[in-house]
Amino acid sequence: QVQVAESGGGLVEAGGSVKLSCEFNGLPFRELAMGWFRQVPGKEREEVSCLDYRSRDTTMSYVASLKGRVTFSRDNVQYTLTLQMNRLRPEDTGKYFCAAARGEYCSESLDEYTDWGHGTQVTVSS
């Protein structure tokens, strides 16, 4: 049985930072691409960033407003992911999720991600 658990969310002041973590059990973590996603109020879930199975970290983000403010890392020994977000803004408020892809490489389609966590809430106060 696959288990996915996010942690690290909370209330943060604008301009501050937060580090989210995600732990996986029960799947071939090293063989799969991994992604972070978010759902902010009033919008559909969107992909924040992704790492394919060979990559260890990236500062890439699919979300234009997050570019230059995130670092996504994976640990293929501990089977964990981290998402560091800096210079947070109130519009970053939302629920953040991690998920494993169906295969080795990243996809911009959320349908290509299978095992999802329940999410962790990040609230940025102005």
Side-chain angles (χ1 to χ4, degrees):
Q1 182 179 355
V2 177
Q3 295 178 319
V4 185
E6 301 97 338
S7 61
L11 178 63
V12 186
E13 290 187 354
S17 298
V18 69
K19 187 173 184 178
L20 307 180
S21 298
C22 183
E23 185 174 342
F24 286 82
N25 284 291
L27 50 62
F29 184 91
R30 298 176 186 176
E31 300 170 12
L32 300 173
M34 295 287 167
W36 277 102
F37 305 80
R38 72 178 187 180
Q39 188 155 18
V40 302
K43 294 188 177 181
E44 294 185 351
R45 191 173 298 189
E46 61 185 346
E47 188 169 9
V48 172
S49 187
C50 179
L51 283 170
D52 68 30
Y53 78 109
R54 297 169 299 181
S55 300
R56 294 297 174 263
D57 51 62
T58 184
T59 56
M60 179 279 294
S61 179
Y62 295 109
V63 180
S65 65
L66 285 173
K67 289 182 179 179
R69 299 195 290 124
V70 300
T71 301
F72 176 17
S73 302
R74 66 184 291 168
D75 184 331
N76 280 357
V77 175
Q78 299 292 327
Y79 290 12
T80 58
L81 309 176
T82 59
L83 182 69
Q84 174 76 37
M85 296 191 293
N86 301 318
R87 302 189 303 281
L88 287 164
R89 306 170 184 172
E91 55 264 39
D92 295 322
T93 293
K95 203 161 191 180
Y96 286 74
F97 303 83
C98 58
R102 296 181 189 275
E104 298 172 329
Y105 297 101
C106 293
S107 171
E108 293 189 50
S109 169
L110 270 62
D111 292 338
E112 292 302 308
Y113 293 85
T114 55
D115 299 291
W116 292 79
H118 294 295
T120 185
Q121 178 70 31
V122 174
T123 302
V124 184
S125 62
S126 57

